[in-house]
């Protein structure tokens, strides 16, 4: 399944580094999402974009900065992260928002470790 | 607040049947999803229920009771490859997807 791809798959960074996560979807979808997945916790929705417009920012710290240049690409820019930000970051896409029953399709995630 | 409850971990035997339960308390309801996630991989879509009843798809079935805020995922003829986490998620009245923490299913030979 290569509908949603994410790079890099693994990332180790120091607290003073700046890095970016990339997501690309090849499904012709119009909505894209960033999630944080920590062990034994529910998926935490971070950001939502619909037709390139950000519609959701769930009280995410400013050290995470999303960018959506077009409906197929989504970035998550990271700077001055904390060790508690270590997690699996998942990107997902769906046909659109707000229509109910929209299945979200996920990428394989980026496993992030902050030292 | 909104909440989805599922067991943290379950163990079953290869060839057997297992039922994974999910209960939810959300502000409104616009459908319930089950996803499968193997370790280190992406969650993949299994089923979607919006009306009461049982949806069957091969070895997997999903049941929904909206009046009870309850769903289950039934896996038959278990195979070793079914070892994974199973995530329950509900669309609330604002079409926000609320996720459970997932149930880790361990299959033993």
């Amino acid at each position: 399944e290569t509908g949603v791809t994410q790079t890099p798959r693994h990332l180790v960074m120091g607290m003073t580094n700046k890095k970016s996560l990339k997501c690309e979807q090849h499904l012709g979808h119009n909505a894209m999402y960033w999630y944080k997945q920590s062990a034994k916790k529910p998926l935490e929705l971070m950001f939502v974009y619909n037709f390139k417009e950000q519609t959701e920012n769930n009280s995410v710290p400013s050290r995470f900065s999303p960018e959506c240049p077009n409906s197929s690409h989504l970035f998550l820019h990271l700077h001055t992260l904390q060790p508690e930000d270590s997690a699996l970051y998942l990107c997902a896409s769906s046909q659109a928002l707000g229509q109910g029953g929209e299945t979200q399709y996920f990428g394989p995630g980026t496993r992030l470790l902050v030292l | 607040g909104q909440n989805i409850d599922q067991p943290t971990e379950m163990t079953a035997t290869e060839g057997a049947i297992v039922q994974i339960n999910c209960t939810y308390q959300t502000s409104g309801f616009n459908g319930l999803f089950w996803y499968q996630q193997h370790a280190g991989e992406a969650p993949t879509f299994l089923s979607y229920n919006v009306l009461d009843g049982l949806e069957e798809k091969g070895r997997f079935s999903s049941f929904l009771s909206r009046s009870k805020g309850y769903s289950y995922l039934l896996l038959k003829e278990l195979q070793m490859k079914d070892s994974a986490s199973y995530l329950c998620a509900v669309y609330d009245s604002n079409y926000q997807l609320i996720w459970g923490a997932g149930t880790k299913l361990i299959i033993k030979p």
Side-chain angles (χ1 to χ4, degrees):
Chain A
E1 177 64 52
T2 58
V4 182
T5 58
Q6 290 186 242
T7 54
R9 293 293 310 275
H10 298 87
L11 179 62
V12 179
M13 58 187 290
M15 289 189 283
T16 58
N17 291 158
K18 289 184 179 181
K19 296 287 184 183
S20 295
L21 310 184
K22 179 183 176 182
C23 174
E24 183 173 0
Q25 59 96 359
H26 310 274
L27 301 170
H29 289 165
N30 296 303
M32 296 188 77
Y33 312 77
W34 278 118
Y35 284 94
K36 177 183 179 183
Q37 187 176 35
S38 303
K40 300 185 178 180
K41 287 186 174 181
L43 288 178
E44 298 174 47
L45 181 64
M46 300 174 71
F47 302 105
V48 182
Y49 279 82
N50 195 34
F51 291 94
K52 301 189 298 177
E53 297 297 320
Q54 185 175 321
T55 62
E56 197 82 33
N57 175 345
N58 281 0
S59 304
V60 179
S62 59
R63 57 187 183 268
F64 295 92
S65 173
E67 179 189 359
C68 188
N70 54 60
S71 291
S72 298
H73 293 85
L74 186 64
F75 295 89
L76 187 63
H77 304 299
L78 316 172
H79 64 98
T80 60
L81 294 191
Q82 304 298 310
E84 60 265 29
D85 297 323
S86 298
L88 182 67
Y89 288 85
L90 291 165
C91 173
S93 71
S94 67
Q95 186 60 48
L97 279 184
Q99 298 180 11
E102 292 294 337
T103 301
Q104 294 185 15
Y105 295 87
F106 286 83
T110 296
R111 174 69 64 185
L112 174 66
L113 177 62
V114 181
L115 300 176
Chain B
Q2 310 208 82
N3 193 51
I4 295 186
D5 289 313
Q6 2 177 182
T8 303
E9 187 173 300
M10 299 182 69
T11 302
T13 304
E14 190 176 15
I17 299 173
V18 71
Q19 178 175 310
I20 302 174
N21 296 325
C22 170
T23 58
Y24 60 90
Q25 301 90 38
T26 56
S27 56
F29 177 85
N30 279 302
L32 184 144
F33 289 86
W34 284 98
Y35 280 80
Q36 179 190 61
Q37 185 179 23
H38 286 100
E41 297 183 13
T44 55
F45 169 76
L46 286 179
S47 67
Y48 171 67
N49 293 68
V50 66
L51 299 177
D52 290 350
L54 188 68
E55 295 277 343
E56 297 187 73
K57 194 183 291 186
R59 294 189 298 113
F60 292 8
S61 303
S62 56
F63 171 83
L64 174 67
S65 168
R66 287 172 296 170
S67 62
K68 295 182 179 178
Y70 168 70
S71 171
Y72 67 73
L73 181 69
L74 190 71
L75 292 75
K76 302 177 183 177
E77 301 169 16
L78 286 170
Q79 301 175 8
M80 297 303 293
K81 67 178 182 180
D82 297 330
S83 293
S85 288
Y86 292 85
L87 311 180
C88 175
V90 171
Y91 265 125
D92 68 8
S93 56
N94 294 320
Y95 294 104
Q96 180 160 346
L97 202 54
I98 311 300
W99 293 86
T103 298
K104 182 178 181 181
L105 178 63
I106 300 169
I107 309 296
K108 295 186 174 181

